[in-house]
Amino acid sequence: MLNKQILVSYGDQAKKMTEELLKEIAVENELDKDDLIALKPNLINASTSEKGATTDPQIAAALIEYLQAKGFKNIIIIEGSWVGADTDNAFKKCGYQELARKYKIPLYNLQKSNYRKKKVFDMEIEIAEIALKVDYLINLPVLKGHCQTNLTCALKNLKGCLSDQEKRRFHRMGLHKSIAHLNKALKQDLIIVDGIYGDLDFEEGGNAVKMNRIMAAKDPVLLDSYAAELLGYHITDIPYLEIAAEMGIGNNNLEKAEIIEINKDQAADINYNSSKIKKLTKMIKAKNACSACYGSLVHALKRLDERGKLKAINQTIYLGQAYKDREIEGLGIGSCCNKALNFVKGCPPSAKAITDFLKNQNM
Ligand code: SF4
């Protein structure tokens, strides 16, 4: 797999989608048989993945089965939940204890690890020793919003490899520079993102948006730059992307990316219980809409709301396959609605494309 590539699979069948991606990636070509391979999910707390905070264990299950079938035996799972949450409890509630038992894989609670200080430019960072020892690190972040950094995905997920004390220090020093430095100290070799459910704006979950995709990449900066646009942000809204690019960790120029969609999303019933999301989506008319498309629109409306521009929208917003080839008096989202008076291209369009489109309408 090339550094410039980002593979995208749409749907919500985590195991099957990950298996399909792994066949495309052929990760075994990058590994030696005795390599110590670590999977690093995001288990920020003890909640199941559909709440929008943690990584679906079926992604890890697909990876372990794939690697074991190719003869790789040294596989471990490493994670340290956020300060105040108990990682052992998260392993149990999120389904990873069960995985460990089934596949005979050790779990490493990084809140109880030995740590080593690693110097990166002017910073010394205390990182779990086992994370520094692995030969091949597979990062399994969740695509979701974050209350301080706007986005959390590949680069920020490595914060789970720090001691609790170091996590607190990162917050005191400011997250952006710290996250970039951490990624200089600890290299991730492959990233598989759980983008099926991810929270609207808060890393702890509770207002999950169904974005219906799993993505794979090797460059965490390029991937996070793409992820930023999927949530409706400009790359400059997440300062650690530029700092990480300047430090040579990866590329934040999306024009250089090769996005490969290995399938298309399917129309689904859209049903959100979150009152926060229901409030945002009052002006939407959706019929046979794909979850990926609807999720992009939810994020776009949230970004407009944060900027005080949501109230200005006084037209109905249409999306879904039922509007194909129909004249629409209103705003259309995606290629299905290309007969609307005004519409945004894409299938699905990113939240950034929708945000830019909606804010430029004369409403
Ligand atoms: S444009 Fe239509 S087909 Fe494409 S993602 Fe949106 S709803 Fe689905």
Side-chain angles (χ1 to χ4, degrees), residues 264-267 287-294 319-321 324 333-337 344 346-349:
K264 278 287 173 196
D265 201 13
Q266 305 289 320
K287 258 191 193 168
N288 299 348
C290 302
S291 302
C293 215
Y294 198 92
L319 83 161
Q321 297 182 15
K324 262 184 194 164
I333 303 297
S335 54
C336 287
C337 294
V344 57
C347 178

